[in-house]
Amino acid sequence: MRRTVKDFRHAKGQRLVYLTAYDYPTARLAESAGVDAILVGDSLGMVVLGYPSTVPVTLEEMLHHTKAARRGAPDTFLVADLPYLSYATLDRALASAERLMKEGGADAVKLEGGEEVAGIVLGLTRAGVPVLGHVGLTPQTASQLGGYRLQGKRPEEAERILRGALALEEAGAYGVVLEMVPTGLAKEVTERLSVHTVGIGAGPYTDAQVLVFHDVVGLYGEFKPRFVKRYLEGGRLFHEALSEYVREVREGVFPGEDHSF
Ligand code: KIV
């Protein structure tokens, strides 16, 4: 049965599992593996669409992939990312969330930022939109943070991240993603919040974990952050399978009798 926002909000210490999925087959796989939630992350811009960052991702692209993921995982709680600038004002945020939830079938939306987006989060949650926050490394504004690097090492950075997470909770977010922050900081934020935290590169003490599907199965070779664990060398296996197909066609091995009428 599909979980609800209520199952996640105060799920402290439950070690819930989020996984990204962006299309029908990966969402089906995620659902059959028993994940607690699917995130249609704007990371799809990099791992599926080949953009250099998440910035170019449009709301139409998010919608297209959210619909496909929902078709693949009808029984799994699904969060869709609000792409860059689609929540720059409350009106835009409401309109974007409306499309992802009504047309895309998302159960909640995620947006990036701390205190600076708390007003938008408040407007969304007051309107009844479940919101997952995201602090630490925020890829949509990574360039302002000095690139894809650990956040919150310096005390003032750590303080800003903690204040951001508390502001998101206060604004009604049902949870907060902590990306690429030191383990100790993630633990402290997790202890200070009553809503659940979702870690990625944040160590073992967050209430949930999330990883990018293509990282887990080794299908994104461009960049492998230290926090990623590859459970499969999918890129190599796919390459071997496809090379064999190419060879067999060229050598007249495929199609053989078994695959012919
Ligand atoms: O876009 C995404 O996949 C994300 C996760 C990495 C948290 O934001």
Side-chain angles (χ1 to χ4, degrees):
M1 209 182 60
R2 203 198 290 188
R3 287 171 178 269
T4 66
V5 177
K6 211 166 164 221
D7 297 320
F8 289 90
R9 187 181 292 276
H10 299 300
K12 302 299 285 178
Q14 290 188 20
R15 305 192 67 78
L16 299 176
V17 184
Y18 284 65
L19 179 68
T20 71
Y22 317 103
D23 56 27
Y24 177 80
T26 56
R28 269 181 70 117
L29 285 168
E31 182 163 288
S32 71
V35 302
D36 298 295
I38 283 176
L39 171 65
V40 185
D42 61 355
S43 51
L44 70 85
M46 295 166 83
V47 300
V48 174
L49 302 177
Y51 295 143
S53 75
T54 58
V55 170
V57 177
T58 65
L59 185 64
E60 291 307 322
E61 286 165 340
M62 287 306 303
L63 195 55
H64 176 78
H65 287 275
T66 301
K67 287 180 182 175
R70 174 47 85 208
R71 287 191 289 269
D75 298 327
T76 303
F77 189 81
L78 187 148
V79 186
D81 258 342
L82 288 172
Y84 182 58
L85 289 187
S86 70
Y87 52 98
T89 63
L90 181 55
D91 282 350
R92 287 193 70 180
L94 285 166
S96 306
E98 180 176 14
R99 294 202 66 196
L100 290 172
M101 293 184 70
K102 278 193 185 168
E103 296 172 46
D107 296 300
V109 297
K110 177 168 82 59
L111 53 75
E112 297 181 6
E115 284 177 305
E116 70 282 13
V117 295
I120 302 278
V121 173
L122 184 65
L124 284 168
T125 58
R126 280 201 173 145
V129 177
V131 177
L132 182 62
H134 184 158
V135 295
L137 174 66
T138 45
Q140 292 173 6
T141 45
S143 126
Q144 292 166 43
L145 301 172
Y148 291 83
R149 62 170 192 82
L150 186 69
Q151 302 294 313
K153 250 195 325 193
R154 294 204 312 269
E156 63 275 20
E157 267 182 11
E159 182 55 34
R160 182 180 52 77
I161 289 168
L162 175 61
R163 277 202 321 270
L166 289 166
L168 292 167
E169 170 173 85
E170 177 78 25
Y174 81 93
V176 179
V177 171
L178 304 172
E179 179 163 357
M180 267 186 108
V181 298
T183 299
L185 175 60
K187 186 168 184 282
E188 184 185 351
V189 174
T190 299
E191 285 166 0
R192 295 279 299 271
L193 292 190
S194 73
V195 294
H196 80 308
T197 57
V198 185
I200 173 162
Y205 301 114
T206 53
D207 302 304
Q209 295 288 330
V210 61
L211 279 177
V212 168
F213 173 86
H214 292 67
D215 288 337
V216 174
V217 299
L219 285 178
Y220 187 65
E222 274 80 349
F223 168 61
K224 181 183 165 300
R226 167 169 153 195
F227 61 78
V228 165
K229 179 168 176 186
R230 265 193 198 162
Y231 287 82
L232 182 74
E233 288 301 329
R236 185 172 51 74
L237 294 174
F238 275 40
H239 174 80
E240 283 169 13
L242 297 180
S243 304
E244 198 173 339
Y245 165 61
V246 168
R247 183 185 57 74
E248 287 198 352
V249 171
R250 291 195 177 136
E251 291 177 1
V253 176
F254 177 85
E257 257 183 44
D258 286 355
H259 301 100
S260 304
F261 300 97

